[in-house]
Amino acid sequence: MCSSDLESGANPEDMIDLDARLRIKRQDFSGALPLLEKALSRRKEQQDLWLLRAECARHVNQWNMEAESLERASALGPIPVNLRTELIAGYLSHGSPDRALPHLRSVTERLPKDATVQVSYATFWEQEKDSATAEKLWRNALEADPKYEPAYFGLTRHYLRSNRIADAVKIAESGLAAMPDSLRLALAKEDALEATGDLYSARRFLAPYAERANDIDVLRRRARLEDWYGGGHAAEAYLALMNALIRAEAPQADVVELCRRGLAVSLRTEHFDAARQFAEKLNGWGDSSGLALAGLARTVNKSTTQLLGGADGLAFLIMNKAKTKPERVLLEYAQVLSGRAGKRDKSSFDEFQKMIRRYFEQIAELSALPERARSEEHTSEL
């Protein structure tokens, strides 16, 4: 303020107000705040000054001041929906849902028929643990815009959390019909299919997304499902996931853990090319335990040949160690291999044995399904 302003009869309070607004226009929010405090000390009933104070507080990361300013402004009259929304979101993010609730109740019934706004408030109500109101708002959003993907996604996740699995599958399918390229909707549908226990359908549904998407979450899910299913694509799925993690510069510990699982699965399914890739990666990170299992252990010199199982295994192979019936040769040779591998790296081999045992348990369970179904059908007839 200059002396000519005072000589011309300008109101000092108006000049303080004007100076604050000019500083805000120049993005000088810290400089504007003291001027707004002076102006508000004389004009506490002027709503726009409280709104300006809230704007400055937001820009200088003073949440308590922003919340107080918006509360004072709302007490003086209606404030724009976007500012009320910011206040609600702020209370929820700062762990004060009780303070957000009065504003939610006040605004919800007067929301504009806008899908974006309806979804925002559906999320707020879900955080307030009012699932019925949240569901109503997600449906309102879809009525306002039948192609609004966040509404389909939010409603699908809501149904999953509410254990309404059939509804989750249905709404996810409707969303994918409207927005077929939505990866997160596809993953939500896959979650719903898994929740029904239909792993076969979940696996079949996810496969085309995994082929064309380089998304780590998709690849991780595919590897897990292929592993559970026990089919021949598990090794390939783990390789794709390993390469994606390496490209994404994921923590080495995560990649090592993945490689160990990929190695075990590759050996189980007899995908030895994949097993060698996993073993070589692990060796590069200081873990050589997979080299022998994958057939990559190095000999001392080129004139020697390594035989898995060593001399004991060779003795069994030529039936020289003991009198063994021909039909038991392979069984006892395998036992020798197991014994020697267990001595070399007991912890890794124990884990490998558990995996093999579980694999054959799954085969037994699957083999028993037709007999169990026939038994249940016979019981129902009786």
Side-chain angles (χ1 to χ4, degrees), residues 140-190:
N140 288 347
L142 289 175
E143 289 178 9
D145 184 354
K147 290 190 175 182
Y148 192 56
E149 187 266 1
Y152 286 109
F153 179 73
L155 191 53
T156 301
R157 300 306 307 178
H158 165 73
Y159 285 146
L160 282 170
R161 282 188 290 268
S162 303
N163 204 31
R164 294 165 60 180
I165 308 304
D167 289 333
V169 173
K170 183 177 179 181
I171 201 68
E173 288 175 345
S174 298
L176 288 169
M179 304 291 293
D181 294 330
S182 172
L183 191 56
R184 66 175 186 168
L185 257 182
L187 294 180
K189 181 183 174 182
E190 189 271 326

Side-chain angles (χ1 to χ4, degrees), residues 11-241:
N11 187 333
E13 294 180 9
D14 290 339
M15 296 306 299
I16 292 172
D17 187 340
L18 178 61
D19 194 3
R21 293 174 191 272
L22 288 173
R23 287 177 184 269
I24 291 171
K25 191 173 182 179
R26 295 195 299 266
Q27 308 291 302
D28 180 12
F29 302 106
S30 297
L33 272 172
L35 297 171
L36 289 171
E37 298 291 356
K38 283 185 181 179
L40 282 165
S41 66
R42 297 179 178 86
R43 303 180 186 177
K44 290 185 173 61
E45 305 305 311
Q46 190 170 331
Q47 187 191 51
D48 65 323
L49 290 178
W50 289 110
L51 294 176
L52 288 172
R53 184 175 183 256
E55 180 183 354
C56 291
R58 181 171 63 256
H59 283 285
V60 297
N61 296 316
Q62 294 290 331
W63 158 245
N64 289 332
M65 181 186 291
E66 180 186 357
E68 179 205 5
S69 301
L70 290 174
E71 290 283 9
R72 296 291 293 267
S74 65
L76 294 171
I79 63 174
V81 171
N82 67 305
L83 295 181
R84 182 89 73 162
T85 302
E86 286 180 12
L87 181 59
I88 293 167
Y91 280 140
L92 291 173
S93 66
H94 286 82
S96 301
D98 54 322
R99 300 196 68 180
L101 196 54
H103 295 282
L104 272 171
R105 288 172 176 156
S106 172
V107 175
T108 296
E109 295 303 321
R110 298 182 286 108
L111 289 176
K113 300 297 183 183
D114 178 276
T116 304
V117 175
Q118 296 282 338
V119 163
S120 294
Y121 277 78
T123 304
F124 293 155
W125 279 109
E126 188 159 79
Q127 291 178 68
E128 292 283 0
K129 312 300 183 187
D130 187 337
S131 59
T133 303
E135 180 178 346
K136 178 183 175 183
L137 291 170
W138 268 309
R139 290 201 168 279
N140 288 347
L142 289 175
E143 289 178 9
D145 184 354
K147 290 190 175 182
Y148 192 56
E149 187 266 1
Y152 286 109
F153 179 73
L155 191 53
T156 301
R157 300 306 307 178
H158 165 73
Y159 285 146
L160 282 170
R161 282 188 290 268
S162 303
N163 204 31
R164 294 165 60 180
I165 308 304
D167 289 333
V169 173
K170 183 177 179 181
I171 201 68
E173 288 175 345
S174 298
L176 288 169
M179 304 291 293
D181 294 330
S182 172
L183 191 56
R184 66 175 186 168
L185 257 182
L187 294 180
K189 181 183 174 182
E190 189 271 326
D191 281 337
L193 290 171
E194 276 195 43
T196 68
D198 189 355
L199 298 183
Y200 176 75
S201 293
R203 169 180 171 264
R204 187 174 57 180
F205 170 74
L206 191 64
Y209 288 93
E211 289 173 3
R212 65 176 184 261
N214 196 29
D215 182 89
I216 287 177
D217 193 16
V218 175
L219 296 174
R220 195 185 301 279
R221 287 167 183 246
R222 184 194 174 210
R224 186 187 72 234
L225 285 170
E226 294 292 347
D227 195 345
W228 285 351
Y229 189 73
H233 298 291
E236 171 195 338
Y238 276 113
L239 275 178
L241 177 56

